[in-house]
Every structure is written in C-alpha cells, then in structure tokens.
Amino acid sequence: MKYMDRITGYSRSTGFILAACLGAACLLAACSLPAAITSERRALLIGINDYIFNTVDGFRDLEYPRKDAQTLGALLDSQGWETDDTTLIDTAATKAKIKAVMEDYFKGIPSNATALVYYSGHGTLDESNAYIVPSDYQRITPDRLVSAAELGGWIEEYILPYTKNVMLIIDACNSGGFVAESDSTDLIDPDYDVNLGYSVTTAALSGLSSFSALLAKNMEQAGSLDPIVMSAAGFKEESWESDSLQHGVFTYYLLKAAQNGDANKDGYVSATEAYTYAAKSIDKYWNDLYGNSNAFYPHITGGLRDLVLFDLN
Amino acid sequence: MRQKPGTLNLCGILCLCFVLIGQSVFASPGKGLDLGGGALFSFTSLPQLETGFQAGWNANVGVGFTIFPWDDAENRASDSKTATALSLTGRFQLDSFGLGASAPQSDGNLYRAWQGTGLGLLLGFASPEFIMPLLGLPAKFGIEAGGGLRLTKYSGTGLVSAHPAVLGRMMLDFGILDPFALGLVVPLEWAWKSGGRAIILGIGLSLRVL
C-alpha cells in the first residue's frame, strides 16, 4: 500500500513539475513574438571601383565595390529601406562629397529610424590609425584619406543627433581599425591566424585571464547606444575581392546572410546574425582555401544592443 | 548521434562519484550536492531602449551546506524522522547558461544573444521537512540569496565581457528515493551588464543527493 502511495506521489509530483514547465513554455511563447518593424530605415551606400589617380599616384582600381554597394542597396530597397546607392559611386565618392552627402542625407531622420552607412573600396593604415580611401586620394594629399576618428566624428555630428540606431559596415582592408573598443573585449586577433582559429574555449580562457579588467570596463558603461560597426577584416589584415564570387568576399557573404543567416528563424537577420554568418563563411570557404597569408576575419563592436539588418518578412 | 563508449563510461563514473561524495561529505540538513538545469527568461533593458525578453537555458552544479544546525541529529525529533527546525543554509554553485536574442522591437532594436559561465555564493533558509499535500512525499522548501560573477560572450562573436549579479533561488525538494531528492527550482538573477540590466527568472529541475 505504501509502495502504491509512493508511486501515486511520484506521478503527482511529475505532473506538478510538467505543469510548471508548460506554464514556462507558454510564457516564453507569449513574450517572444517579434514586432513588425514600422520605423524608417535609411541607407547610404558607397562603392569605389574607379580611383581618379589610379596607380599613377594613388590606389589601383578595384573590380567589385560598385557592384557590392548597388547589390546591397537593391536588396535593402526590396526590404523597405530608403537607399542611396548611386550618389557616392566611383569617382563621385570624393572625401568632400562623402562628407557633404552624409550631412545632407540623414538630416531630420526620425529618432526611431535606423541609419546605415556602407563602404566598399580601398582601406589603408598607418602605425595606429585605419583609413578608408576616397576616390580623389593622391599620395601627395594624404589628408584626403578618411580616418576612423574622422568618420566617427561625421557620424556623431550628422547622424547621432537625429537617431541612435546607426550601423556602419566597411568592406575594406584594415577596416578593423574602425571597430572601437567598448565594454566587451574582442578576442579575435586583428591579424587572424587560421591555424590557431577561434573557439569558445579560447574565449573562456582569454576572458578568465583578463576577468578583473572586463569587470571594471563593464561597470564604467553608462548604457549609451553606440553605433554598431562591422568590418570585413582586422586592423592588420587585407580583405579581398574575388572574380569567382564577383563581389568583395565579405560583402558576398553578407548578402548571402540575407538568405541563410537567420539563425533563430524569427524572420529577421540582425547585424550580429549577418556578421556571424559572414565571418564563419569566410573562415570556412576562404581562409581554409587560401591559407594564412590571405586570411582575414571580420569584426564587430560589442554591447547588449543589436539592430535588424535584413527583414525577411 | 553516436556516443563513444569512453564518454558513457566517464559519465557513469561521474554519476557514481556524485552519489558517493554527495552522500558522505555533505551529510547535514541543508546539505547536498546537486545537478540541475532548466529554462531562463531574461527581461533585459538599456536606459534608452524598451525592455526586451530573452529566453534561454541554464545548467548548474552546486554544493549545499548547513551553517546551523550542523549536526543532523539536532534537527530531528526524537520520535520521528522528520526535521523540526529551520536550517540556515549556504550554497556554492557553478553555472553555465545561454540566452537567445530578443525579438526585434518596432524600431529594429533588439538585445543580443549571450552565453556564459559564472560562480555564485548564496545563503538562506531551509524549512523543516514536511509532507507535501496532495503528493504525499516528504519535502523541504528553501530560499537563498547571494551574489555572483559572470563571464559572458555574445553568441557568434568574439566579444567577451564580465559582470556582477545578485542571485536568488527558491527550491522545493521532494524526497523521491533515499538519498535522492528531486527539486523544483526557481532561480532569480539581477545582472548589471553593459550599462543595462537583466532581470532573469527561471524554472528548472535539480537532482540532489541528500
């Protein structure tokens, strides 16, 4: 009899626990439904194939940045973004013009809108700074380069007063220099080594070794909504374009992320999901094939906040 | 998915150690070595954004100990096996957890998925043993609070960060088969992360060796 009572007790306790779990599942389902994105989204796309001074006194021309910018522009346009993928193309994308268009294009954008600036073209660096290379750069006019600090200043002056929802995507060599430190530490080496790779175990061990510094950084944060910056390559790396892919390699996989990058299947591809898809694809398909000397790995800035990049609904 | 025989053997040995160590080393009223896991729900917010909801999981291993009364005999009535006194208990735990991204808000903002690991130390009370109404099983209720440190990584990125958290835990243990207790656990956590906060509530099960 006692045995039977016990069995009954087990059944009841199991039922009790299952009911609690079911309640939790219902709560989960009720609270995790995504909202439709109703706010304005505006993208400025810069792609430079044609460098005015070419190899004579500048950088050689490229094959695919124009196509990168215009393909991404068309994709975003089809998903409800307002896009400008024609103004800052090739020789039109001089430093002065980039600055002027940024000032004008985002003026008055609503505070709940999302702003995206995309650049595909040459990038370069000196000892401590990374730069993007406008079409009118000459070696005798190094002030026509746009440094990370300068571009950050334009974003701060021309976009952030209107909206805090800002993304910057740069497909260029050395673009990791545009990815600023935040409360998180980026454990991906600015000069990525394919042989060492990257894993969660590495992250855990590295994080433990700098735990107190990370904790101090976290406590200094005021929760400001910094722009989300995504770079094709590390500060010390070149990023590549590919004749077989007919795009910049990073942009190719970023575009593919719109089809395959929705990791949680919620109908949206966030900047982080797109980054993850592109980074892992580059590591798998490019770095493995072309080896360490041509390897590169994308970077992204860090914080709690993320933004939707592709809306698949 | 095929498991290597070595993995199964290792699991078996660990389970055996878990039972033997838990039973012999922590033989006091609020005692126990336990393994648990369950679902987590985080209400995450940044100062300028709406609160987001993130769902996830956690798994933990904990060591419970009784601060007062230490001796099990002091806590039992002379003519019954039922404990009569409230116990002051403590717990040291190692957590592993993951939270998925929140759903996007109407302005396209959402909260990133993150995963991590952490340590926590909690103090609290455990009720005297009682017979659970309806179920007819011996049970104990406990509540604990404390603090912890977490090392986290944003999923899919190489970004790691660390943050402190206030931890809480309510549990209801059912003695199912001496020396095991099956527990229903409600973990609570208030985390200060990246200038924002995450209030995390959970529900889970634990298997405790009493």
Side-chain angles (χ1 to χ4, degrees):
Chain A
M1 190 63 193
K2 269 195 161 181
Y3 179 74
M4 286 308 292
D5 286 350
R6 212 111 223 234
I7 296 289
T8 310
Y10 295 157
S11 309
R12 284 176 176 166
S13 62
T14 308
F16 180 66
I17 286 165
L18 284 176
C21 293
L22 190 64
C26 290
L27 177 69
L28 167 71
C31 297
S32 59
L33 297 173
I37 296 174
T38 53
S39 62
E40 189 176 328
R41 289 171 287 165
R42 201 178 289 185
L44 178 64
L45 300 116
I46 308 163
I48 308 174
N49 279 15
D50 189 1
Y51 281 84
I52 295 168
F53 299 99
N54 208 331
T55 48
V56 180
D57 195 26
F59 283 80
R60 68 173 176 83
D61 286 348
L62 293 167
E63 292 292 325
Y64 301 108
R66 177 173 57 225
K67 189 179 172 197
D68 288 346
Q70 293 185 334
T71 309
L72 181 60
L75 177 63
L76 293 172
D77 191 54
S78 71
Q79 296 182 357
W81 287 72
E82 183 184 321
T83 57
D84 181 346
D85 56 8
T86 55
T87 310
L88 294 177
I89 293 298
D90 291 342
T91 53
T94 61
K95 180 175 181 177
K97 188 84 179 284
I98 292 171
K99 184 182 177 189
V101 171
M102 274 183 72
E103 182 175 10
D104 186 54
Y105 188 63
F106 295 105
K107 193 176 276 180
I109 189 172
S111 62
N112 65 349
T114 302
L116 167 66
V117 177
Y118 169 88
Y119 170 86
S120 179
H122 277 299
T124 188
L125 81 169
D126 59 22
E127 281 177 7
S128 55
N129 295 303
Y131 303 88
I132 57 171
V133 185
S135 64
D136 58 339
Y137 167 76
Q138 282 180 282
R139 293 193 201 285
I140 55 166
T141 57
D143 59 328
R144 286 190 193 158
L145 293 171
V146 179
S147 70
E150 206 166 5
L151 186 61
W154 295 349
I155 289 172
E156 200 170 326
E157 193 174 348
Y158 304 139
I159 309 179
L160 290 177
Y162 302 109
T163 179
K164 303 291 180 200
N165 305 332
V166 182
M167 280 183 276
L168 173 64
I169 301 176
I170 302 181
D171 186 352
C173 297
N174 314 116
S175 47
F178 287 79
V179 179
E181 278 271 311
S182 62
D183 67 308
S184 308
T185 293
D186 190 354
L187 296 179
I188 298 166
D189 200 290
D191 190 4
Y192 182 69
D193 188 326
V194 174
N195 301 319
L196 291 176
Y198 173 72
S199 71
V200 172
T201 314
T202 315
L205 292 175
S206 307
L208 280 174
S209 66
S210 55
F211 189 83
S212 56
L214 289 172
L215 206 56
K217 262 186 178 181
N218 180 73
M219 299 317 287
E220 287 167 7
Q221 296 298 305
S224 61
L225 302 179
D226 295 328
I228 292 173
V229 183
M230 207 187 297
S231 73
F235 178 55
K236 296 177 181 172
E237 292 165 350
E238 293 175 318
S239 82
W240 297 87
E241 55 179 11
S242 160
D243 287 334
S244 60
L245 302 178
Q246 300 276 300
H247 276 291
V249 176
F250 172 71
T251 300
Y252 175 81
Y253 288 112
L254 192 70
L255 292 164
K256 284 282 178 196
Q259 299 161 14
N260 307 319
D262 183 12
N264 62 359
K265 307 291 177 202
D266 65 351
Y268 298 98
V269 179
S270 71
T272 306
E273 282 177 319
Y275 162 82
T276 303
Y277 181 84
K280 291 193 170 170
S281 300
I282 287 170
D283 205 31
K284 187 175 175 185
Y285 298 116
W286 178 270
N287 291 346
D288 269 4
L289 190 63
Y290 292 98
N292 221 16
S293 57
N294 297 318
F296 65 107
Y297 202 99
H299 292 251
I300 192 168
T301 48
L304 266 175
R305 188 268 285 263
D306 198 1
L307 283 164
V308 169
L309 180 58
F310 300 121
D311 180 350
L312 311 181
N313 297 303
Chain B
M1 187 169 70
R2 291 183 63 188
Q3 293 285 342
K4 289 181 183 173
T7 313
L8 292 175
N9 291 339
L10 184 64
C11 287
I13 291 167
L14 286 174
C15 287
L16 190 62
C17 291
F18 173 71
V19 172
L20 295 174
I21 294 169
Q23 197 171 2
S24 58
V25 178
F26 305 103
S28 64
K31 65 198 184 245
L33 181 65
D34 65 79
L35 288 170
L40 291 181
F41 309 99
S42 173
F43 296 89
T44 312
S45 60
L46 281 164
Q48 300 170 69
L49 292 185
E50 288 174 28
T51 299
F53 175 80
Q54 298 182 271
W57 58 269
N58 90 321
N60 62 69
V61 56
V63 174
F65 51 91
T66 300
I67 298 165
F68 178 83
W70 175 252
D71 186 354
D72 205 13
E74 289 175 27
N75 198 34
R76 293 182 182 280
S78 58
D79 58 348
S80 89
K81 283 276 186 182
T82 305
T84 55
L86 203 64
S87 308
L88 179 60
T89 61
R91 177 181 164 79
F92 183 73
Q93 67 183 31
L94 172 66
D95 294 297
S96 180
F97 54 89
L99 286 161
S102 72
Q105 298 167 8
S106 61
D107 61 358
N109 275 291
L110 66 152
Y111 292 94
R112 270 182 177 152
W114 83 81
Q115 63 205 68
T117 187
L119 293 172
L121 182 64
L122 300 96
L123 296 174
F125 297 95
S127 74
E129 195 171 279
F130 60 93
I131 300 300
M132 186 72 185
L134 298 176
L135 305 181
L137 293 175
K140 267 187 177 182
F141 175 77
I143 187 163
E144 291 166 338
L149 293 172
R150 269 77 174 92
L151 177 65
T152 63
K153 173 181 167 295
Y154 290 110
S155 306
T157 73
L159 301 167
V160 295
S161 64
H163 66 266
V166 170
L167 306 175
R169 193 169 184 271
M170 287 189 288
M171 64 277 183
L172 188 60
D173 280 347
F174 304 100
I176 51 168
L177 184 68
D178 197 31
F180 294 105
L182 184 66
L184 183 64
V185 184
V186 177
L188 300 161
E189 180 170 338
W190 184 300
W192 288 273
K193 183 169 175 57
S194 301
R197 66 157 194 261
I199 300 168
I200 301 169
L201 196 73
I203 187 158
L205 296 176
S206 75
L207 182 65
R208 181 187 292 254
V209 183
L210 294 170

